Amino acid sequence: MPTTERRRDAVDPAPHLLAPPLSAGLPRTPDLPNVAAVADTIRPLSDETLAQHGNQVLVPTYDRSLLTPAVVHFSVGGFHRSHQLLYFDEVAERGISTGWGVVGVGLHSRNMKDALAPQDHLYTVVERSPDGERARVVGVMIDYHFAPDDPATVLDVLTDPRTRMVSLTITGSGYRLCPQTGEFDPADVDIRWDLEHPDQPRTVFGFIVEGLDRRRRAGLPPFTVVSCDNMHRNGDCARSALVGYARLRDEVLARWITDRVAFPSSMVDRITPHTTPEEREAVAQRYGVQDNWPVITEPFSQWVIEDDFCNGRPPLDQVGVRFVPDVARYELMKTRLLNASHCALGYLGSLAGFTSIDQVMADPLFATYVARMMDDEVTPLLPPPDGIDLAEYKRTLLQRFANPAIADTLSRLARRGSTKMPHHLLPTLRQAVAEDRPHGLLTLAVAGWFRYLRRTDEYGRLIPIDDPRADELQARAAAGGTDPRPLLADRTIFGDLAEHPAFVAELEQALERIERDGVRAAMTGAVTGSGTLRS
């Protein structure tokens, strides 16, 4: 396969907190002809047309046929394609190595396969900032398999000696870990199927454990398993889930996985909204690229991984990834500042009638609220990560939230609250309550979630709830009204918060204030300390 030339500016990447953005050193998209002129030359994206797209977007200059399939990723979505795949693409693009090509695997929907296969698994990433945008085509994905169509092929890929790493973005609930014990929960029809039919798995656990067992029996080294989900100690979660499943099959296999497989925890960060049909059409019109599923994202990107690999370490540190002995402090920084703020603004902003986070941040009251929550209630409980200026990190977060070119939707931020809140916001709140520290702004965020679960905003407009436990939580919220106790009684989400009477009273007052006076009045009282939420 011939390589394609593309322009690069001779600019050294500038440091950006943990690492330079992946686009550092890349030129801005050149001045574009008018839309009509571009529209006349819209072409499908494929290996055959790649060179023809080089005048409008950055395209791979490396020979894709030389890529070695070394990484298997389960659940390829927009975030994986804007983040991890881009790092591996940069490893190949900079001439560091072609030994880390990626194979994608889908378990629940064939939409990604149908989109990517006709375009040779190429796709476009558009990076947007208030100053403009740039686009590049990513070529490091070699293949994509929809596992239900051909589980044998996926198992062959996992058993291939060239496979050295398996990565996951299956969401927090996908690990099936009991919130109280941390143990793997096998109560699922597909888990039972996998245990009875290990050569025809349906779940990620069945595939990975069977792949590891086949490698063990063949005398092959295991692959490293890297979770890229927003969870505390996500590597430990992946280990608990896979070893827990393996123990149901074979204790000897479970011990082999425990002893031989590396599960480094990681922290990942890049805001990546869902791609709409309108965005897809805009990419075609502006860049002349007919891409079935492009990705829209922000300039900022971070990836921190524990330096613990069992089958070779990818040279990701040469393209901005930070390898560290322990990722815990970086993970806490990100989840408790960024993800918790997303939760708070998602629920409170939705109630106030906003639809995107940049709209929320354009409101001085909401911007002050989230900045104060981070400064006064979250940061004092955070152990600072090495090499990070937390004040600068928070300033960057506020800028990212306010980016109108991304306009991340509140509906995306608010989904799966039963998973996100226990991982991102409630741990800080529980610690603050236990240590008698200020927590009024965090309490308001919880009140916002409880009110959100009643399915209407302040104007009576319907709010669709996207949560695996939606029916149960909505019923509890409706039963409680301004009484938080029915929801707080769920210890799987709230732990022992219901056992703190002063906190329960504060939360009830916050709900009453939102119900009586609206979100803005409740927020004003919380921010100024003049309302019932004074801590």
Side-chain angles (χ1 to χ4, degrees):
M1 183 185 307
T3 59
T4 306
E5 292 186 0
R6 72 174 182 181
R7 300 189 297 105
R8 281 184 179 272
D9 290 343
V11 177
D12 291 330
H16 191 277
L17 293 176
L18 295 184
L22 285 176
S23 57
L26 302 183
R28 283 285 177 195
T29 302
D31 291 338
L32 298 170
N34 62 61
V35 170
V38 174
D40 290 339
T41 58
I42 294 175
R43 298 183 180 89
L45 182 60
S46 68
D47 281 330
E48 184 178 350
T49 64
L50 199 56
Q52 301 171 42
H53 291 299
N55 290 331
Q56 293 295 335
V57 298
L58 302 171
V59 299
T61 65
Y62 56 88
D63 188 341
R64 295 185 73 215
S65 68
L66 298 179
L67 290 168
T68 300
V71 181
V72 176
H73 184 83
F74 281 88
S75 295
V76 176
F79 176 73
H80 175 65
R81 294 191 297 138
S82 78
H83 190 270
Q84 297 103 61
L85 274 173
L86 215 58
Y87 284 97
F88 283 110
D89 191 69
E90 198 69 6
V91 167
E93 182 57 42
R94 296 188 187 183
I96 297 166
S97 173
T98 54
W100 294 92
V102 180
V103 176
V105 176
L107 295 173
H108 305 297
S109 169
R110 59 176 304 115
N111 291 343
M112 189 65 69
K113 178 180 176 64
D114 292 344
L116 296 182
Q119 52 196 51
D120 300 316
H121 307 100
L122 297 162
Y123 65 92
T124 313
V125 175
V126 179
E127 176 189 293
R128 289 181 177 168
S129 76
D131 299 326
E133 67 178 52
R134 71 188 83 197
R136 67 183 281 177
V137 173
V138 175
V140 78
M141 182 179 287
I142 298 170
D143 208 348
Y144 184 96
H145 302 287
F146 182 52
D149 286 351
D150 192 0
T153 296
V154 176
L155 289 173
D156 287 344
V157 173
L158 291 170
T159 312
D160 189 327
R162 296 174 296 177
T163 297
R164 306 166 74 182
M165 173 176 157
V166 170
S167 54
L168 310 170
T169 48
I170 60 174
T171 75
S173 59
Y175 291 82
R176 300 194 58 81
L177 298 177
C178 174
Q180 284 79 34
T181 67
E183 298 294 322
F184 179 70
D185 177 9
D188 179 79
V189 63
D190 288 334
I191 296 294
R192 292 195 296 272
W193 169 275
D194 285 1
L195 292 171
E196 296 170 2
H197 307 88
D199 60 335
Q200 302 173 50
R202 294 175 176 174
T203 71
V204 64
F205 316 107
F207 276 106
I208 293 178
V209 170
E210 176 65 13
L212 287 169
D213 190 36
R214 293 185 182 192
R215 296 177 79 99
R216 177 178 69 99
R217 295 176 183 276
L220 295 173
F223 42 70
T224 299
V225 178
V226 179
S227 170
C228 297
D229 286 297
N230 285 319
M231 303 171 65
H232 178 57
R233 302 297 310 172
N234 53 20
D236 293 344
C237 293
R239 178 188 290 107
S240 295
L242 290 167
V243 172
Y245 171 83
R247 190 169 288 121
L248 299 173
R249 278 188 47 173
D250 180 351
E251 183 63 38
V252 173
L253 171 60
R255 286 199 301 269
W256 184 84
I257 293 174
T258 299
D259 294 341
R260 299 286 303 278
V261 179
F263 293 89
S265 289
S266 71
M267 183 272 274
V268 295
D269 186 8
R270 197 172 208 193
I271 295 173
T272 308
H274 176 70
T275 303
T276 64
E278 293 76 18
E279 297 285 7
R280 184 171 62 243
E281 179 61 22
V283 170
Q285 293 297 328
R286 178 162 192 184
Y287 298 106
V289 179
Q290 183 179 313
D291 187 336
N292 294 325
W293 205 331
V295 180
I296 312 299
T297 192
E298 62 172 339
F300 185 94
S301 185
Q302 289 181 351
W303 194 2
V304 185
I305 313 175
E306 288 177 344
D307 195 358
D308 180 21
F309 293 80
C310 61
N311 194 349
R313 188 181 80 171
L316 295 168
D317 54 323
Q318 298 184 48
V319 294
V321 175
R322 173 173 284 197
F323 291 119
V324 298
D326 187 346
V327 81
R329 291 190 173 196
Y330 301 93
E331 168 217 309
L332 287 175
M333 173 189 73
K334 189 257 181 173
T335 57
R336 296 194 179 185
L337 290 172
L338 183 147
N339 296 112
S341 297
H342 269 175
C343 290
L345 295 176
Y347 300 124
L348 294 167
S350 295
L351 292 177
F354 296 111
T355 59
S356 64
I357 193 170
D358 62 304
Q359 295 174 355
V360 172
M361 294 302 293
D363 186 307
L365 175 60
F366 281 80
T368 300
Y369 162 77
V370 73
R372 287 278 304 276
M373 187 183 79
M374 288 194 287
D375 287 343
D376 298 347
E377 299 185 1
V378 180
T379 301
L381 299 177
L382 281 180
D386 291 341
I388 298 296
D389 180 338
L390 283 179
E392 175 61 24
Y393 180 80
K394 288 181 288 185
R395 282 193 293 270
T396 301
L397 283 184
L398 296 176
Q399 293 169 1
R400 295 167 65 195
F401 294 165
N403 183 356
I406 293 296
D408 205 3
T409 62
L410 298 186
S411 60
R412 187 186 80 87
L413 305 185
R415 68 189 183 191
R416 297 197 308 274
S418 63
T419 298
K420 291 179 177 178
M421 289 289 279
H423 286 302
H424 305 327
L425 190 143
L426 294 177
T428 303
L429 178 58
R430 278 198 297 270
Q431 184 179 352
V433 169
E435 298 179 6
D436 195 25
R437 290 175 175 268
H439 54 270
L441 304 174
L442 290 163
T443 301
L444 182 64
V446 177
W449 183 35
F450 284 18
R451 175 61 181 81
Y452 178 92
L453 288 171
R454 288 160 59 189
R455 300 185 61 195
T456 60
D457 67 12
E458 293 184 332
Y459 306 97
R461 293 175 297 211
L462 185 66
I463 297 175
I465 307 296
D466 183 355
D467 193 290
R469 298 180 59 184
D471 292 343
E472 173 192 354
L473 295 176
Q474 287 170 30
R476 288 176 180 261
T482 58
D483 180 357
R485 291 168 184 83
L487 279 164
L488 289 177
D490 189 337
R491 294 181 66 91
T492 65
I493 295 177
F494 298 100
D496 65 354
L497 279 173
E499 300 172 12
H500 295 267
F503 165 73
V504 176
E506 290 171 2
L507 182 55
E508 187 169 19
Q509 292 167 4
L511 282 163
E512 291 172 349
R513 184 74 183 270
I514 290 174
E515 190 73 14
R516 183 182 67 248
D517 303 325
V519 169
R520 296 188 64 85
M523 186 175 290
T524 299
V527 168
T528 62
S530 61
T532 57
L533 297 183
R534 189 168 188 170
S535 298

